[in-house]
Amino acid sequence: MADTLTAASPLHDWRQRFGELPASVTMAEEPFLAMVDLWVDPAGPGHTAAREILGFDLPTTPATAAGVSHTSAIWLGPQEWLVTSRTIAANTLETELRAAVGTHGGAAVDVSGQRTAVRLSGSRVRDVLAKGCSIDLHPRVFRAGSAVQSMLGLAAVVLIALDDYGTDYRVLVRSSFARYLAQWLTDAAAEFGTGR
């Protein structure tokens, strides 16, 4: 009988610890999110080709994200985006984007194994994030559609606001820093109580 490898996300063993947090600060890993780095000239035909695959325009304003349903593009630089999807397989997303933009001088590379995603929500989650992030997270400034690269504790992250109220965020963190960040987040949430 052949040995079989089973994929395990960086935080697969943190589910119970996340479940012990108070309702005011909930956390859950969103494992195996498809992530593709996309490079294309936003003023050229490659942008149009990418739009035909994604179904939306790539955001061209710094520190923003755009998307539809379970797929989004996060602005990382003037000609670079991180495209994420919960419904399209990473190899499919990479292949389709590469075929669309490649003839226009663009590129697409699957980087799904680089990071994992942590969903943070609750009435006190902004307070937790503020303990280790220098970004102004007030909802009048950092609302749905905002996305920044920043430090959270000592981990480099991509932080995305999912609502306009400062109560729902997605954090993308390098897999090698995921356990550190999970520990940091649970420690930072400790003052808000334990249990459900």
Side-chain angles (χ1 to χ4, degrees):
M1 182 171 162
D3 289 336
T4 304
L5 296 176
T6 302
S9 66
L11 298 175
H12 69 278
D13 56 349
W14 278 76
R15 185 173 295 138
Q16 180 179 345
R17 289 191 65 190
F18 287 158
E20 294 168 356
L21 292 169
S24 62
V25 184
T26 63
M27 299 178 201
E29 184 184 22
E30 296 179 325
F32 310 118
L33 188 67
M35 297 185 209
V36 173
D37 269 344
L38 175 66
W39 295 271
V40 68
D41 179 356
H47 183 268
T48 302
R51 181 180 59 224
E52 290 175 9
I53 299 298
L54 298 173
F56 58 88
D57 282 319
L58 296 169
T60 55
T61 302
T64 61
V68 293
S69 186
H70 296 289
T71 302
S72 66
I74 301 160
W75 186 95
L76 296 181
Q79 296 188 11
E80 182 182 3
W81 294 265
L82 180 63
V83 179
T84 67
S85 182
R86 296 195 53 76
T87 57
I88 304 170
N91 61 338
T92 300
L93 186 60
E94 175 192 38
T95 300
E96 291 181 359
L97 284 171
R98 181 182 291 155
V101 304
T103 58
H104 305 293
V109 177
D110 178 6
V111 294
S112 303
Q114 252 183 15
R115 298 180 179 98
T116 192
V118 179
R119 185 75 173 264
L120 307 171
S121 58
S123 61
R124 302 306 299 265
V125 72
R126 183 165 59 100
D127 297 319
V128 170
L129 292 172
K131 289 182 177 188
C133 182
S134 62
I135 301 298
D136 182 355
L137 299 174
H138 195 281
R140 72 175 167 259
V141 177
F142 198 74
R143 57 182 49 149
S146 298
V148 295
Q149 297 178 82
S150 185
M151 297 298 289
L152 183 53
L154 297 176
V157 300
V158 177
L159 179 62
I160 305 133
L162 301 176
D163 71 8
D164 290 333
Y165 310 104
T167 60
D168 196 10
Y169 301 89
R170 180 173 290 124
V171 179
L172 306 179
V173 61
R174 299 264 181 196
S175 296
S176 58
F177 279 86
R179 295 177 70 80
Y180 158 79
L181 185 64
Q183 184 66 59
W184 187 92
L185 287 166
T186 54
D187 288 349
E191 73 173 275
F192 302 110
T194 59
R196 291 269 171 205

